Amino acid sequence: MPTLTHAHIAVRRLAAAFAAAVLIVLCLLGGTARAAGCSDSWIGGSGSWGDTSHWSTGAVPTSADDACITAAGTYTVTLTTLTDHYGNEDTANVAGLTLGATSGTQTLIVQGESSSVQGNWYNATTLNVGGDGLALGANGVLDLDATAATAAPTTGNEQPGGSANLGVDSGGSTPAPLTNAGTIIAQSSDSAFNEAIGVGGTLTNSGTIDAESGTLTLQGQGNLPFVTDNANTFSVASGATVTMIQGDGSSFTNAGTYANNGTTSLQQTMGWNQSGGTESGNPVTFTGQETFADTAGAGSFDFQNCGGTGGILTGTIQSNQSISVVGNTGCTFSTLTLGTGSNPPAVVNDGTLVLDAQGSGTSTGGGADLQGAELDNHATVNSTVTDTSYVNTLSTALVNEAGASVNVTGTLNQTAGTPTTNDGTVNLAPGSLWLVQGGSFTNAGTLAPQLASATSFGQLNLTVSSKFNAGGTLAPSLAGGYAPAAGTEFQEVEMNGGGVSGTFASVTNGFSADYAKETASPPYLGIVYGSGSTAPASGSPSVSKVSGGAGKITLKLSCPPNAGSCARYSVVATITEHLKGKKLLAVTAGAKAKKKATKVVTVGSMAGTIAPGKSATVTLKLNGAGSAMLKRFHKLT
């Protein structure tokens, strides 16, 4: 069973000196779990934990007792410093604790108070609960009050208040439970004093946890993983901070509501499982090698770390989610690794993925690096560079599906010989650069560079052994009122050791492609303004047969024999969700529902070309959203 030691006091001294978050260091004493029960009970009425007249045994509970605060009525029990402010005098130890009766409201305040003898590092009050665990009923309220609500003895310049800590730990290999069906409050009005919850086991929240002010630290105890299951409500108020610390498989699973109006950060490989719950307000921040396992639920999440493996993301980025890799001050770059293991499956993006190189000058900020498994983009990828001192890096294969977009501002380095396939749209802002280093860029969709001046336009650069495979549509556009003279040429694809193959099916917006410069010195693929545009492909493929299968759609397409060439086709399959409120009632291929909300969801897409006079049978596979619908409804129309 944990108890505070002088080593803990020393840590608190250091924490106070540097205004850092409170870190609980607990010693583990031997002992085994006890059967649930009440060996010492609060007999009712408000009072101090240390007042023996309020306990059924006539004595304050000890580490051998299962304490119960379950008497009916509305009252408050206050735990503060108990004796002379030395050693363990500010710590209450029990084997187990039950808080909450069947009626009324029972509040237990763990209240930090200033010491009249020593400095601020002694000013912490801790409740240690052993292996029998802590259970809060629906009417129970646990208040970690790091600022004393009442006047406290002070000395010198000390202010009333001190850290308020809760430790729940079996002291061995048996997990200790903390179950909350009531309310846990964490509050502090002074940054010198914080709150901490340490659990050597599982914190299960079916009630409410409110981080109202100050810094609340959630961390594991001993060698056991610290697991938090949020099935109801967890809120972080504006100005408040929640820090989750622990490795060894520790995780926070969100199946409820997480309202992050303040700051939430994960450290030391702590994992976050988004399991159907929602995260709102400010993004949750991952600061090291933490893992984000994504199954369902809205939210925004930022990865800010210092290089290396960095954060890890597995699963699918949902349509209502935003994932950002944010350049961190003091680091060369922040990293997000897609997938785990030696051969991880592709990560699908149905939402928004952002590479954000922040900063101003070389003293602040950093770049963003994406690595690991293939990224299959069905929605939006934004690569943004605020200052030219930094670049973003794409160190993994990218497939930009039909209907999806990649938007680049600044420099994006495609490294490690990786391939990019564009079946959707790639937008290159004025002055932006897509640098292909040893890999390939295959365009079957739309490449859309923007031109703001003769020297500021979006372009590609191919280093040694890199390839650009032209195809699809080249759609340059003028920006910012720029009007070049007719015949003005721009080096759209520079070849610094790389090469270009193929031609675009069409070049639009009054531009034409100049392939003759591919053998010039230096070589490049040019685009010329005002000399006419390449005629679009003629003829349109027709659909002669559509059939369904297990998780796929098969189509037979034909191109007219008299067509000079056939236009590139794209196939998009959609399903309409019929909703009543947030409840999904049914899915159809139409949108004729009355008196109910509908939402059209893309369940698959693909693109390609067919030669004149030819037919082809193509297969469209369901994406992640389509597969999930098929699993639920068994049949999709």
Side-chain angles (χ1 to χ4, degrees), residues 328-425:
N328 200 4
T329 298
C331 300
T332 305
F333 55 88
S334 294
T335 302
L336 176 61
T337 298
L338 304 180
T340 58
S342 58
N343 188 26
V347 169
V348 174
N349 175 38
D350 288 330
T352 301
L353 176 63
V354 179
L355 303 180
D356 188 1
Q358 295 187 347
S360 177
T362 58
S363 61
T364 63
D369 182 10
L370 190 68
Q371 62 185 23
E374 175 184 296
L375 176 64
D376 191 358
N377 180 42
H378 291 259
T380 304
V381 174
N382 295 325
S383 176
T384 303
V385 174
T386 304
D387 189 281
T388 56
S389 301
Y390 307 102
V391 300
N392 290 329
T393 304
L394 181 65
S395 302
T396 187
L398 169 64
V399 177
N400 190 40
E401 301 284 0
S405 63
V406 177
N407 307 301
V408 178
T409 300
T411 298
L412 177 63
N413 288 350
Q414 178 187 327
T415 65
T418 56
T420 290
T421 302
N422 176 38
D423 291 322
T425 300

Side-chain angles (χ1 to χ4, degrees), residues 286 292 294 299-303 313 316-318 321-326 336 338 349 351-356 370 380 382:
F286 299 77
F292 180 73
D294 196 359
S300 55
F301 306 89
D302 285 358
F303 290 83
L313 184 148
T316 297
I317 302 173
Q318 305 298 319
Q321 289 179 353
S322 175
I323 306 294
S324 298
V325 189
V326 182
L336 176 61
L338 304 180
N349 175 38
T352 301
L353 176 63
V354 179
L355 303 180
D356 188 1
L370 190 68
T380 304
N382 295 325

